[in-house]
Amino acid sequence: AKANVAMSRYEPASFVNYKKLQTNVDIVQQRLNRPLTLSEKIVYGHLDDPHNQEIDRGRTYLRLRPDRVAMQDATAQMAMLQFISSGLPKVAVPSTIHCDHLIEAQTGGVKDLARAKEVNHEVYNFLASAGAKYGVGFWKPGSGIIHQIILENYAYPGVMLIGTDSHTPNGGGLGAICIGVGGADAVDVMAGIAWELKCPQVIGVKLTGSLSGWTSPKDVILKVAGILTVKGGTGAIVEYHGPGVDSISCTGMATICNMGAEIGATTSVFPYNHRMRTYLQKTGRGEIAALADEFSDILVADKDCQYDQLVEINLDELKPHINGPFTPDLAHPVSDVGKTAKEKGWPLEVKVGLIGSCTNSSYEDMGRAASVAKQALDKGLKCKAQFTVTPGSEQIRATIERDGYSKILEDVGGVVLANACGPCIGQWDRRDVKKGEKNTIVTSYNRNFTARNDANPATHAFVTSPEIVTALAIAGTLNFNPETDFLTAPNGEKFKLKPPTGDELPSRDFDPGQDTYQHPPSDGTGLKVDVNPQSNRLQLLEPFDKWSGNDLEDLRVLIKVKGKCTTDHISAAGPWLKFRGHLDNISNNMLIGAVNSENDAINKIKNHLTGEYGGVPDVARHYKANGVSWVAVGDDNYGEGSSREHAALEPRHLGARAIIVKSFARIHVLCNLMIKCIDLAENVCVENKGKTSLISVHRNQLKEAGSAILPDDTIAIRGLKDFAPGKPLTAVVKHSDGSEETLELNHSFNETQISWFKAGSALNRMKELQ
Ligand code: F3S
């Protein structure tokens, strides 16, 4: 193989560096003197200091040097705003921006894209000009979904990439370690600062047997989600291995890794194999494949390596699955879901079937869905439900159009939407049901939290494979098992659908479609980035205040949240996405989806200064205006979902000093810690033993303390002067009857993070050090 192979065709001067990876792995292997998992090889291979870094899975923090950064347009705004405020001239590692989150699905691809370009003109302009100035590649709206573009162009075995989107792990399908982070982490890496990650544990998933029939790669992760649940992957990399791996296409492996985000995993990864080689060759990267062949030892796990947990799945026995509603880990075999739905009162009628998204929009996915659609069409049947298709990239769109799949999917009743996230992120102008009307939709997406797709909390969303979505959209009911049930043709003929088929990759080359990429000039220093001070979409950032040096006294409980509190509850997506670059405006969505434990209401909390009830952001603004700081109190796995730094930035902006919860979702801890913002230091959490968290109260103490913290309490957080890693803080809770309780607060801050807290934020700290 060639000695110097470019990381991508767009960066001819940045090379794949397997030698360094090998050297670092050798150093670590000598130190640890044990077989390594693949995850460990790639992660430790990117250590800033492989000789001295303390390595202990689940305990120590690693300082890493990722190879590249990717950002989607919603998160890139805040990341670029932060990068600009760092004052650096150019990004330190290859980085890209992808415009995929802001395109609303209304009538179809062409019109929707044209409208989005108009509506988001200001944001796209800002990102394009900031990208050009600071050396970041810019993928224009219409180019496709970030993770598909990464798979097609940037991911390769052994690379470490961080992306400001929770489904970044998609690249694990190409043997890469790709981790979803907050915008602030991206800023660190783009600024050339080592990036911190708690040394991940490794969950092994051993696959035996092989996929066949209606069972698809999606079913592997739907099954794994059912076993491990939405919290099961916290703090861990899920590493697939075993003889079953080779029966899965590269894009299928990407699907599995993509949806690993739903179990809270740091990321997921597959070992380098011939399926990846073929994919690399087909996407114009045969040279990387040849080099990977040479270094294949470091791109697979060592024999006898140890996993922290092991799950085994026999693909021969795996049945098609469908998960939901409202949570991606509620797994049902497709054969059972109809019966379960009847028992539970979930609407059986499927109103809309939606295929595509970053999870399932490969050439193979589209081919298999089309093969199902074709059988119905041949019998004169169309979809009973509405049916939409979101191609993952311009390349996929152009190729499935050329090869006739789009026509079949349209003929069966489908609407091909823009190459973008669309309904997956709530960018969906849905008209067929009213808000509040109970209904069922099935998607090939990855996430199905309440109201995610259409802002209707009564929509029952189920996630499954694109081929099952297609079958259910044709049948029009959840109570249909394509493996056993018959459809009726218009002439009365009863027929069964045959299992789907589809080529993994097109027999001809991919059709690249339109050129949608803007490469930054070699020197962007003379360029200007405009942010209009009148804009309601973009706002330059003001630094957060430094810590005063004193303990925090008389904090109000803004809200005590009941039950699930995902990033969608804390900072809703959909219509709010347009304010991603404007912290003050987007803060008007803070916690408006969370349930107030005091009255079970949403966005209705008591203002303890006035005695009146109001919306959460309004009360917070009132407290802030009156100099009253506050805390929010939550339950388990607070902040699960996206790498949404706004979920951490907004409370800080509106005056929060701490978030006190039973446990944090990993992604939210990272957001808060790295983000250099709010909860940073003062984030408080009640922790399940062994789980990552910021500051926590022991469970038994909580119990002893009765309901511990009540909505009308005030809280003091003490011990900040001696804030140190592993040393609990104290919360003194004052109840309204005058009684007091003291709780011990655990936290997970290390020295560096504590220095960020003291500086007011990590960005402040970066400036102090400059
Ligand atoms: Fe976009 Fe949905 Fe993926 S929002 S990045 S298509 S999970």
Side-chain angles (χ1 to χ4, degrees):
K2 235 168 90 176
N4 278 344
V5 173
M7 284 169 80
S8 87
R9 85 191 73 168
Y10 302 105
E11 288 124 3
S14 299
F15 302 114
V16 175
N17 200 344
Y18 283 146
K19 282 213 176 97
K20 171 125 185 264
L21 191 66
Q22 177 86 65
T23 308
N24 286 0
V25 169
D26 288 347
I27 295 167
V28 171
Q29 197 130 33
Q30 240 179 10
R31 286 179 51 203
L32 299 181
N33 196 22
R34 61 169 170 81
L36 296 176
T37 62
L38 169 62
S39 315
E40 291 181 297
K41 288 184 183 179
I42 307 179
V43 173
Y44 306 159
H46 286 83
L47 280 172
D48 184 43
D49 181 0
H51 287 286
N52 300 307
Q53 169 76 58
E54 197 189 348
I55 298 168
D56 186 3
R57 295 201 311 220
R59 192 181 65 80
T60 59
Y61 279 84
L62 305 179
R63 288 165 57 79
L64 298 163
R65 295 283 174 185
D67 299 300
R68 59 182 310 133
V69 172
M71 296 167 277
Q72 39 96 333
D73 48 358
T75 46
Q77 296 169 54
M78 191 51 79
M80 289 311 291
L81 286 164
Q82 290 178 76
F83 187 81
I84 291 168
S85 64
S86 79
L88 293 162
K90 201 175 173 183
V91 292
V93 299
S95 305
T96 47
I97 294 170
H98 302 261
C99 295
D100 59 3
H101 271 56
L102 305 178
I103 303 170
E104 189 190 52
Q106 244 180 33
T107 51
V110 178
K111 280 194 184 152
D112 293 349
L113 177 60
R115 202 182 48 256
K117 283 183 180 168
E118 224 178 278
V119 175
N120 303 308
H121 177 75
E122 191 184 2
V123 171
Y124 293 150
N125 244 6
F126 164 68
L127 293 175
S129 61
K133 183 167 175 67
Y134 296 102
V136 180
F138 179 70
W139 288 83
K140 297 173 199 169
S143 56
I145 307 172
I146 176 167
H147 312 305
Q148 184 66 29
I149 304 268
I150 290 172
L151 200 72
E152 288 171 359
N153 300 282
Y154 298 120
Y156 60 82
V159 73
M160 175 179 266
L161 174 151
I162 62 161
T164 60
D165 187 276
S166 42
H167 294 99
T168 304
N170 191 69
L174 250 184
I177 289 286
C178 300
I179 302 180
V181 298
D185 306 56
V187 179
D188 282 354
V189 176
M190 292 192 296
I193 294 174
W195 172 65
E196 274 198 350
L197 176 74
K198 192 165 195 181
C199 187
Q201 299 201 307
V202 188
I203 298 175
V205 177
K206 183 174 179 188
L207 303 177
T208 56
S210 58
L211 286 178
S212 63
W214 282 90
T215 306
S216 75
K218 185 68 162 279
D219 299 307
V220 175
I221 185 60
L222 294 173
K223 178 79 184 173
V224 169
I227 297 169
L228 293 177
T229 80
V230 289
K231 288 188 275 177
T234 309
I237 296 180
V238 180
E239 183 170 314
Y240 293 85
H241 61 281
V245 167
D246 284 348
S247 75
I248 307 173
S249 64
C250 176
T251 50
M253 294 190 265
T255 295
I256 295 168
C257 292
N258 175 300
M259 207 182 146
E262 267 48 65
I263 55 168
T266 302
T267 190
S268 302
V269 69
F270 275 85
Y272 178 58
N273 69 356
H274 73 277
R275 309 294 293 247
M276 294 184 194
R277 184 188 308 124
T278 313
Y279 185 80
L280 285 169
Q281 286 161 345
K282 199 75 191 180
T283 50
R285 293 172 290 169
E287 288 183 345
I288 297 185
L291 203 60
D293 284 339
E294 234 176 75
F295 285 86
S296 59
D297 278 0
I298 48 168
L299 304 173
V300 298
D302 288 336
K303 209 169 147 276
D304 300 327
C305 65
Q306 292 297 310
Y307 295 105
D308 294 287
Q309 188 182 345
L310 188 64
V311 175
E312 280 199 51
I313 295 178
N314 182 345
L315 301 178
D316 289 336
E317 290 166 5
L318 182 65
K319 284 296 191 187
H321 273 65
I322 181 166
N323 291 15
F326 307 120
T327 184
D329 58 355
L330 189 54
H332 322 272
V334 169
S335 54
D336 294 356
V337 71
K339 187 168 152 269
T340 311
K342 278 188 213 157
E343 284 163 14
K344 305 269 185 195
W346 303 331
L348 283 179
E349 184 193 353
V350 171
K351 287 274 188 195
V352 194
L354 305 100
I355 65 168
S357 92
C358 63
T359 327
N360 268 126
S361 59
S362 65
Y363 187 79
E364 183 183 41
D365 287 331
M366 294 299 157
R368 283 170 66 90
S371 81
V372 173
K374 176 87 171 44
Q375 297 177 55
L377 279 176
D378 288 348
K379 298 283 181 187
L381 265 188
K382 285 191 162 210
C383 288
K384 284 215 178 85
Q386 280 184 45
F387 187 49
T388 70
V389 182
T390 42
S393 68
E394 169 61 7
Q395 173 164 290
I396 293 288
R397 184 207 59 77
T399 309
I400 63 169
E401 198 172 299
R402 180 195 69 192
D403 293 354
Y405 294 161
S406 303
K407 170 132 185 22
I408 296 170
L409 295 169
E410 281 169 342
D411 286 351
V412 83
V415 176
V416 179
L417 300 170
N419 313 319
C421 302
C424 180
I425 192 62
Q427 292 282 14
W428 186 17
D429 184 19
R430 188 176 179 196
R431 301 272 172 95
D432 65 306
V433 297
K434 288 202 195 69
K435 275 263 163 70
E437 189 181 324
K438 221 168 143 181
N439 75 100
T440 287
I441 63 172
V442 289
T443 80
S444 73
Y445 306 165
N446 41 33
R447 196 161 273 178
N448 59 353
F449 297 138
T450 307
R452 172 164 172 106
N453 301 123
D454 60 358
N456 179 1
T459 292
H460 292 51
F462 293 83
V463 288
T464 182
S465 68
E467 43 271 49
I468 294 289
V469 172
T470 309
L472 297 181
I474 291 165
T477 172
L478 265 190
N479 194 19
F480 177 73
N481 177 6
E483 289 190 307
T484 53
D485 296 347
F486 287 81
L487 291 167
T488 310
N491 66 5
E493 183 197 341
K494 303 247 184 242
F495 70 101
K496 246 171 70 176
L497 292 167
K498 288 204 249 359
T501 53
D503 289 340
E504 169 181 2
L505 291 160
S507 49
R508 288 190 272 162
D509 282 348
F510 273 111
D511 179 342
Q514 292 176 31
D515 183 5
T516 50
Y517 176 68
Q518 169 196 293
H519 196 65
S522 52
D523 182 6
T525 40
L527 301 176
K528 224 178 138 235
V529 180
D530 273 336
V531 178
N532 182 348
Q534 307 307 322
S535 171
N536 69 358
R537 304 273 311 257
L538 295 163
Q539 180 188 41
L540 288 172
L541 287 176
E542 294 288 330
F544 288 118
D545 291 344
K546 273 180 84 144
W547 172 52
S548 67
N550 297 316
D551 284 337
L552 300 162
E553 301 290 337
D554 298 321
L555 305 171
R556 273 280 161 203
V557 176
L558 179 75
I559 179 171
K560 183 175 172 186
V561 177
K562 182 172 167 185
K564 218 176 179 52
C565 194
T566 70
T567 40
D568 284 329
H569 295 96
I570 307 170
S571 176
W576 293 96
L577 286 175
K578 59 178 174 290
F579 299 123
R580 281 282 177 110
H582 198 295
L583 183 54
D584 194 52
N585 283 347
I586 199 170
S587 294
N588 289 328
N589 78 355
M590 186 191 72
L591 285 161
I592 60 173
V595 178
N596 179 8
S597 63
E598 187 195 357
N599 53 9
D600 282 347
I602 287 173
N603 200 23
K604 193 173 172 196
I605 57 168
K606 189 167 180 182
N607 181 330
H608 291 279
L609 300 184
T610 63
E612 283 163 15
Y613 281 79
V616 182
D618 303 330
V619 175
R621 282 184 193 279
H622 188 256
Y623 286 173
K624 187 181 173 188
N626 286 278
V628 174
S629 297
W630 52 267
V631 301
V633 179
D635 212 316
D636 265 322
N637 209 24
Y638 179 92
E640 76 179 272
S642 320
S643 58
R644 201 167 292 167
E645 61 186 331
H646 295 79
L649 278 164
E650 291 174 24
R652 174 76 182 262
H653 176 64
L654 294 186
R657 304 305 291 168
I659 307 291
I660 305 179
V661 298
K662 288 185 185 160
S663 67
F664 279 104
R666 178 202 76 90
I667 196 121
H668 196 63
V669 173
L670 284 183
C671 277
N672 281 306
L673 286 175
M674 307 297 171
I675 208 170
K676 316 125 192 267
C677 68
I678 158 168
D679 319 313
L680 177 48
E682 295 139 284
N683 234 341
V684 182
C685 141
V686 185
E687 165 175 306
N688 279 327
K689 237 183 155 226
K691 289 254 169 62
T692 313
S693 67
L694 301 182
I695 304 176
S696 79
V697 178
H698 284 297
R699 228 155 233 278
N700 50 5
Q701 268 193 305
L702 243 197
K703 222 161 137 204
E704 276 163 25
S707 49
I709 301 170
L710 302 170
D712 56 355
D713 290 341
T714 56
I715 294 180
I717 296 174
R718 307 222 170 112
L720 289 169
K721 284 187 181 141
D722 304 315
F723 199 4
K727 186 176 173 194
L729 297 169
T730 304
V732 179
V733 181
K734 282 184 220 163
H735 298 306
S736 55
D737 63 4
S739 64
E740 281 191 3
E741 294 181 65
T742 301
L743 303 172
E744 190 178 79
L745 304 175
N746 294 330
H747 67 84
S748 63
F749 289 90
N750 60 25
E751 287 291 356
T752 312
Q753 292 158 346
I754 290 170
S755 77
W756 296 345
F757 160 65
K758 290 185 174 160
S761 72
L763 209 57
N764 290 357
R765 182 71 186 144
M766 272 158 69
K767 275 198 202 130
E768 284 178 4
L769 292 174
Q770 255 173 33

